[in-house]
Amino acid sequence: MQITQLNLSDDIIDLGVGQPDPSLLPLAVLSQAATHRLTQPDASLLQYGMEQGNEYFRRSLAQLLSDGYGVSVEPDRLFITAGATSGLDLVCTRFTKPGDTVFVEEPTYFLALRLFADRRLNVVGLPTDENGLVVGALEEKLSEIRPAFLYTVPTFHNPSGVTLTASRREHLARLSEQYGFYVVADEVYHLLAYTTVPPPPMVSYDASGTVISLGSFSKILAPGLRLGWIQTAPDIIHRLTHSGLLLSGGGMNPFTSAVVQSAIELGLQQNHLSRLIHIYRQRSADLEAALHENLSGSATFKNPGGGFFYWLRLPNDINATALRKEAKKKGGQFSTGH
Ligand SMILES: Cc1ncc(COP(=O)(O)O)c(C=O)c1O
């Protein structure tokens, strides 16, 4: 059976999908934020929303991100989405046509590949190492093919856990300007830093308006909210807002945005994120200790320092697919390399 976000069974611990632990979903936070918002005499959150996303919400979000990233984020450069997946889908609508090529890292987030398949895009993989995408190999590839965009998960990568170094980020941004392709950076794990401080998001390296950064509340609040953002240059935002989807339906999730705005203003979002980081840091340390105890000398691994994923390299004589079947019998599941 193919793994998706939904077909997970309750009696299996699945280390291969990017889902929060159900016990960490913040019902009380959302209840408090919703009460705060719904007791204000302002029904505008129930109306069609501004295409780019509510301005007050974008201001609150910009402040949250500026604090979290350690670099200034401007509200005018934010566009509200229904999650990173929705942002990526809209980017495909507006910036590709069937048959176009997109570059991805090898390995990459497996469900992004499904989305590119839906769009009939031609996917070309690029090598990665312990510092993320090998940007030198990208440069060589660019002399053969020019992609519509390159999709990357630069920080705490799904599934490999690696983080792209600052110098490679600079190089990648320069190449996108020089060769005229977009970099779509899926930064959903950036704010979940436990022991590593990552370089600023990919979009901070953008000098010429070629980087499109995808963010999400799925990993820092709750995936059921279906709320996220794109941070990018104004002309790209203009192109996104002038899509049929937005012109007909208005901005995405105005109701949820308004509730989450209260969560940010009341400090609840920041408290929740701090709590998540505290808990995940401990779990990550426990996993690291268990790996050292049970697998050192056989598998090789490196602590990712944040995010949801730990990548193991198995010895050559171990078949990952067979091992996965054995793990499942014992109540554990993981993803194999693609
Ligand atoms: C790299 C990556 N991008 C996107 C998503 C999904 O994000 P969203 O819920 O915001 O659509 C996930 C979730 O697993 C992910 O790991």
Side-chain angles (χ1 to χ4, degrees):
M1 185 168 61
Q2 198 184 5
I3 300 172
T4 68
Q5 294 288 16
L6 276 182
N7 60 5
L8 308 175
S9 83
D10 287 343
D11 50 356
I12 294 215
I13 298 176
D14 195 322
L15 300 174
V17 293
Q19 288 205 356
D21 175 347
S23 73
L24 298 177
L25 293 174
L27 214 45
V29 166
L30 267 313
S31 165
Q32 199 181 332
T35 304
H36 176 263
R37 188 60 186 82
L38 292 174
T39 47
Q40 291 174 33
D42 171 12
S44 62
L45 75 170
L46 299 176
Q47 188 52 278
Y48 283 110
M50 185 189 169
E51 287 89 351
Q52 190 176 345
N54 179 279
E55 193 183 332
Y56 294 102
F57 175 55
R58 284 187 284 110
R59 277 193 215 161
S60 299
L61 177 59
Q63 189 57 55
L64 180 84
L65 297 179
S66 301
D67 294 345
Y69 293 163
V71 287
S72 171
V73 174
E74 291 165 34
D76 287 354
R77 292 184 168 245
L78 294 174
F79 167 91
I80 304 308
T81 65
T85 308
S86 124
L88 184 56
D89 197 51
L90 186 59
V91 167
C92 288
T93 305
R94 299 299 281 158
F95 293 93
T96 67
K97 55 182 185 328
D100 279 355
T101 293
V102 295
F103 286 173
V104 301
E105 291 146 344
E106 260 178 7
T108 188
Y109 170 45
F110 69 109
L111 292 174
L113 292 176
R114 287 296 306 270
L115 206 132
F116 301 147
D118 289 350
R119 298 287 175 163
R120 307 274 181 273
L121 297 173
N122 171 35
V123 175
V124 173
L126 296 169
T128 57
D129 62 19
E130 67 283 3
N131 293 317
L133 177 74
V134 179
V135 181
L138 163 67
E139 197 161 5
E140 276 172 36
K141 207 59 174 177
L142 285 167
S143 58
E144 293 165 36
I145 327 174
R146 206 58 54 83
F149 64 77
L150 176 145
Y151 170 77
T152 171
V153 184
T155 306
F156 311 134
H157 189 273
N158 176 2
S160 70
V162 297
T163 291
L164 192 68
T165 57
S167 60
R168 286 194 185 178
R169 287 175 197 234
E170 274 166 31
H171 191 183
L172 178 55
R174 250 187 290 122
L175 289 180
S176 76
E177 179 179 2
Q178 192 181 334
Y179 287 89
F181 64 94
Y182 292 105
V183 173
V184 180
D186 184 338
E187 324 235 27
V188 297
Y189 298 103
H190 191 101
L191 293 169
L192 291 176
Y194 318 139
T195 53
T196 297
V197 180
M202 204 38 235
V203 69
S204 317
Y205 294 83
D206 182 22
S208 56
T210 51
V211 180
I212 302 173
S213 171
L214 308 171
S216 176
F217 282 93
S218 289
K219 320 294 173 181
I220 61 170
L221 200 56
L225 295 169
R226 305 314 301 138
L227 192 65
W229 63 90
I230 286 176
Q231 186 187 344
T232 192
D235 62 322
I236 296 177
I237 290 185
H238 183 267
R239 202 148 151 199
L240 297 174
T241 51
H242 287 71
S243 60
L245 182 67
L246 276 292
L247 293 177
S248 171
M252 296 195 194
N253 288 344
F255 178 86
T256 318
S257 308
V259 172
V260 172
Q261 185 184 338
S262 283
I264 298 173
E265 282 173 1
L266 297 172
L268 303 170
Q269 166 66 77
Q270 192 48 54
N271 287 348
H272 182 66
L273 178 57
S274 303
R275 175 167 179 260
L276 287 182
I277 290 174
H278 179 75
I279 294 171
Y280 290 153
R281 183 184 286 132
Q282 186 55 53
R283 289 185 184 182
S284 168
D286 292 347
L287 181 60
E288 168 96 0
L291 289 173
H292 277 293
E293 194 179 320
N294 297 292
L295 292 182
S296 64
S298 50
T300 52
F301 46 88
K302 188 173 166 230
N303 190 332
F308 278 7
F309 302 99
Y310 226 109
W311 185 250
L312 303 188
R313 227 167 255 288
L314 301 173
N316 286 341
D317 57 339
I318 305 261
N319 179 304
T321 309
L323 186 66
R324 191 162 155 230
K325 281 197 191 125
E326 285 307 306
K328 213 170 161 190
K329 286 185 205 154
K330 296 190 163 37
Q333 170 109 302
F334 56 84
S335 293
T336 52
H338 292 266

